[in-house]
Amino acid sequence: MIIIGSTMSKDDYDENGFLSGKTSSKKEIEKINRLVAKFAYEAFFGMKSAKNKELQEEFADYSPTIAKHDPNSDELEVIPKRIFAKRREKARWEGR
Amino acid sequence: MSNKKRHHYVPIFYLIEFTDSDEKVFVYRKDDARLVLHQKPDNTGFRKYYYAQPVENGGRDYNALEDQFCIIETKWGDFISKARRGEVGPKELDTLVQFIALQHVRVPATRDAIELNLADQVKATTLKLEKFGKLPRPPKGFENILSEIEITISPHKSIEAMAPIALEFGQILARLGLGILYNGSGIPFITSDNPVIWFNPEQGESEIIPYSESSGGDIILFFRCPLT
């Protein structure tokens, strides 16, 4: 099962409480699986399947990360900009 | 008490649902699309001492955060049982919100973003100070040292940031109507090392910006629950 949250169903939720439903739509589940694979950071997990292998190939080196800030920019604040891209390498911390 | 070495950011019990008859899970790595690993849940989704924290006497505490996570994870089983019986009340919702928030803040996708942003801030500030002549001039032959230097951030900084980010995330969750979608399609769900996702529902899949909302503040969130 999957938990779905939506601002659009907030009124319904406030009135009727926790909502539940069942889908037998393969298309709908495949769409959710595509989103899960897309948002995976280093890896996703599942059963062995050709579809999952396709998702792995499609979203290889493609993860949610933050854009590299231009250090010479005149912006006063360094606000993180979320993007999908190859994961950025972090310099290794050698301290405590 | 012995120190836990493997700190799982994807809980073992969470991955058990995805195991096959060998009690292993298939791991589809993003950095090598040729590689699909077949591993026991204990052998994936962890980093060594990922939640270890420095303590005042100079040592490190390896277990405190892991132990706190276990308390939240233990309550999760009760939530699942009650959700199956359709008995989700305010107390269970509290458990759900805690678990989702924890799964959002503890993972490398979030912690790396925090550390990378802090590194960008340090670098931008340093270059501004240099630009305004507030730093000593670099030695001859090292004129570009400040723009080339790599900034490292203590991992403890992203641990410190987990609590405020969880609180902020709680405010997002409070704006949502929540529900469960059961899967009767015959196609198994997958999950990932970053299982809490949200975005602007007005964007098509190819345009999605991670963790964004519409101009009117609309959001749709998905969280893959352990257990079907």
Side-chain angles (χ1 to χ4, degrees):
Chain A
M1 66 192 190
I2 198 155
I3 300 288
I4 300 186
S6 168
T7 44
M8 286 91 79
S9 59
K10 175 70 171 152
D11 291 345
D12 192 8
Y13 173 77
D14 286 344
E15 203 171 313
N16 301 310
F18 209 69
L19 314 163
S20 71
K22 187 174 184 174
T23 181
S24 52
S25 163
K26 291 183 176 178
K27 216 171 170 181
E28 203 169 343
I29 300 303
E30 281 175 356
K31 197 173 163 186
I32 293 171
N33 279 350
R34 279 183 64 77
L35 287 168
V36 172
K38 188 171 185 168
F39 273 79
Y41 191 57
E42 293 174 341
F44 65 88
F45 311 96
M47 298 295 175
K48 190 174 189 177
S49 84
K51 203 82 192 171
N52 289 347
K53 192 78 187 79
E54 278 173 28
L55 289 173
Q56 182 188 28
E57 283 162 15
E58 182 176 349
F59 295 119
D61 272 338
Y62 188 83
S63 303
T65 183
I66 60 166
K68 195 168 170 58
H69 177 76
D70 174 5
N72 295 308
S73 125
D74 287 329
E75 290 167 34
L76 290 174
E77 274 186 280
V78 181
I79 297 167
K81 187 179 168 199
R82 304 305 293 255
I83 55 167
F84 284 107
K86 185 177 167 63
R87 285 195 317 276
R88 282 175 59 187
E89 291 290 326
K90 283 188 310 180
R92 189 179 165 82
W93 174 258
E94 302 285 357
R96 272 182 67 215
Chain B
M1 188 170 64
S2 66
N3 291 326
K4 296 170 187 169
K5 190 173 183 181
R6 291 180 173 190
H7 289 180
H8 284 83
Y9 46 85
V10 187
I12 294 171
F13 82 91
Y14 182 96
L15 283 179
I16 283 175
E17 188 207 337
F18 299 88
T19 55
D20 57 14
S21 51
D22 294 332
E23 297 179 345
K24 290 180 178 177
V25 65
F26 287 93
V27 183
Y28 296 83
R29 290 202 57 87
K30 283 192 155 182
D31 50 6
D32 186 351
R34 295 164 303 178
L35 199 62
V36 180
L37 303 170
H38 192 210
Q39 292 181 312
K40 296 256 185 200
D42 184 42
N43 293 333
T44 190
F46 73 91
R47 290 188 185 178
K48 284 180 194 165
Y49 305 123
Y50 195 45
Y51 304 110
Q53 300 173 90
V55 288
E56 277 180 23
N57 65 10
R60 293 177 91 194
D61 185 327
Y62 296 97
N63 300 330
L65 267 180
E66 274 279 289
D67 293 344
Q68 283 301 311
F69 295 165
C70 280
I71 292 169
I72 295 173
E73 288 166 9
T74 305
K75 292 189 219 162
W76 181 251
D78 296 340
F79 170 81
I80 293 292
S81 309
K82 289 187 176 167
R84 281 178 161 166
R85 297 196 298 267
E87 295 171 2
V88 178
K91 195 178 156 204
E92 287 71 39
L93 277 175
D94 195 40
T95 304
L96 174 69
V97 166
Q98 279 183 35
F99 190 73
I100 296 178
L102 178 60
Q103 282 313 116
H104 174 56
V105 299
R106 73 192 289 187
V107 294
T110 299
R111 290 192 54 195
D112 283 2
I114 294 162
E115 291 170 32
L116 287 166
N117 180 246
L118 288 172
D120 285 348
Q121 285 179 32
V122 171
K123 190 153 191 171
T125 304
T126 307
L127 290 180
K128 272 198 182 71
L129 289 171
E130 185 194 34
K131 188 175 166 184
F132 294 117
K134 301 288 185 189
L135 294 180
R137 191 174 290 177
K140 208 172 173 186
F142 293 92
E143 286 78 7
N144 294 326
I145 193 167
L146 291 179
S147 53
E148 287 167 9
I149 204 164
E150 279 193 331
I151 309 292
T152 68
I153 299 293
S154 163
H156 184 58
K157 300 306 286 181
S158 62
I159 290 178
E160 281 178 344
M162 282 165 50
I165 288 178
L167 286 175
E168 255 178 56
F169 182 57
Q171 289 169 2
I172 290 174
L173 285 171
R175 290 163 49 203
L176 306 177
L178 295 172
I180 291 177
L181 181 68
Y182 293 94
N183 180 1
S185 73
I187 296 179
F189 275 128
I190 60 171
T191 191
S192 87
D193 59 356
N194 184 33
V196 183
I197 66 183
W198 80 85
F199 52 90
N200 170 2
E202 291 171 8
Q203 291 173 324
E205 196 219 291
S206 60
E207 309 164 308
I208 288 174
I209 295 169
Y211 309 109
S212 59
E213 55 186 74
S214 76
S215 52
D218 280 331
I219 288 173
I220 189 155
L221 171 142
F222 293 97
F223 172 65
R224 172 68 174 97
C225 275
L227 301 183
T228 45

